Amino acid sequence: NPYLPLINFISLYLKFTKITSFQIYYTPFNMIFVTKKLKFLHYTHKYVKINSTNPFLWGEFMFSMVKSVGIFGLNSYMLDIEADVSGGLPSFDVVGLPDTAVKESRDRVRAAIKNCGYKFPTGRITVNLAPADKKKEGAVYDLPIIISILIASKQLEANVHDCAFLGEVSLDGQVRSINGVLAMVITAKQNGIKDIFIPYENAAEGAAVEGINVYGIKTIKQLIDHLTGFTKLEASKVIEPQERTLAAS
């Protein structure tokens, strides 16, 4: 594509002007229109759309970021899960010092998105686990990667600014339990996270931390319904010993 260098320049231009969610549609017939609109793009801070006969054929640029928490040894730290969907040959890359389990999330994420009734984006998909200088271990990033891709591809519209996501995902969209939840929820709270979404089986452990809303998630569909306001989940609570006795009886 002879116009790809110019389109890459426009994409970088928009990112450096701190536009966090945007699309560029183009064809050879409106490239002059695109270049003349650069000044206009500088003042557009949410959504940019240029008409195209076939955006997926010629090119489309979309970006999103969600929060998660990483754990390495005994230390936990905040993570930014960044997803970029752009035109080009189909590919799916996860970068940011991922181990083998994290790299394998590509296959789980692709299957889970399709099996939950959503469309896996065509084109080039790059997921960055930042900061890139820290080793990422385990399958805890499946859930935030899926949410980031769905937001970047405009299949999910939700305010996730104060949210964090943790969890391994099965091929059919079930959310599986993970290790180290307590330490990661504490780190999320210390970094200003208000809502954290974790596997349902880990909800009791995470709820032991006060000052943060902990939601136990069973499926991706359940999480998306909550984020879009279709159905609202209740935050998990610690079960006191007296309540446990009554429940057992």
Side-chain angles (χ1 to χ4, degrees), residues 23 70 91 211 227:
Q23 289 180 310
S91 65
L227 293 176

Side-chain angles (χ1 to χ4, degrees), residues 66 68-69 79 81 92 94 99-110 112-113 127 129 137-150 165-171 173-178 197 199 220 223:
V66 302
S68 186
V69 187
L79 276 177
I81 310 296
F92 184 11
V94 178
D99 70 354
T100 302
V102 178
K103 291 180 179 179
E104 289 177 348
S105 68
R106 294 176 297 182
D107 297 321
R108 294 190 297 271
V109 166
R110 180 185 288 107
I113 288 177
V127 173
L129 312 179
E137 295 182 331
V140 302
Y141 311 112
D142 292 0
L143 190 59
I145 289 175
I146 288 175
I147 297 301
S148 187
I149 290 176
L150 290 178
F165 304 87
L166 300 167
E168 178 183 350
V169 174
S170 66
L171 302 185
Q174 302 289 323
V175 181
R176 293 175 172 170
S177 62
I178 56 176
F197 300 89
I220 295 173
L223 172 58

Side-chain angles (χ1 to χ4, degrees), residues 60-171:
E60 185 174 6
F61 297 85
M62 293 172 286
F63 171 81
S64 70
M65 181 181 70
V66 302
K67 298 287 186 180
S68 186
V69 187
I71 189 166
F72 185 71
L74 299 176
N75 300 318
S76 57
Y77 53 91
M78 292 302 300
L79 276 177
D80 292 332
I81 310 296
E82 303 170 338
D84 179 80
V85 180
S86 61
L89 295 176
S91 65
F92 184 11
D93 299 313
V94 178
V95 299
L97 283 183
D99 70 354
T100 302
V102 178
K103 291 180 179 179
E104 289 177 348
S105 68
R106 294 176 297 182
D107 297 321
R108 294 190 297 271
V109 166
R110 180 185 288 107
I113 288 177
K114 291 181 178 179
N115 291 330
C116 288
Y118 295 93
K119 181 180 179 181
F120 189 78
T122 56
R124 182 176 179 81
I125 302 171
T126 304
V127 173
N128 180 41
L129 312 179
D133 60 343
K134 293 185 178 181
K135 184 74 173 179
K136 317 302 186 305
E137 295 182 331
V140 302
Y141 311 112
D142 292 0
L143 190 59
I145 289 175
I146 288 175
I147 297 301
S148 187
I149 290 176
L150 290 178
I151 293 176
S153 59
K154 304 301 178 185
Q155 299 181 78
L156 172 62
E157 295 184 4
N159 182 8
V160 295
H161 178 70
D162 296 323
C163 303
F165 304 87
L166 300 167
E168 178 183 350
V169 174
S170 66
L171 302 185

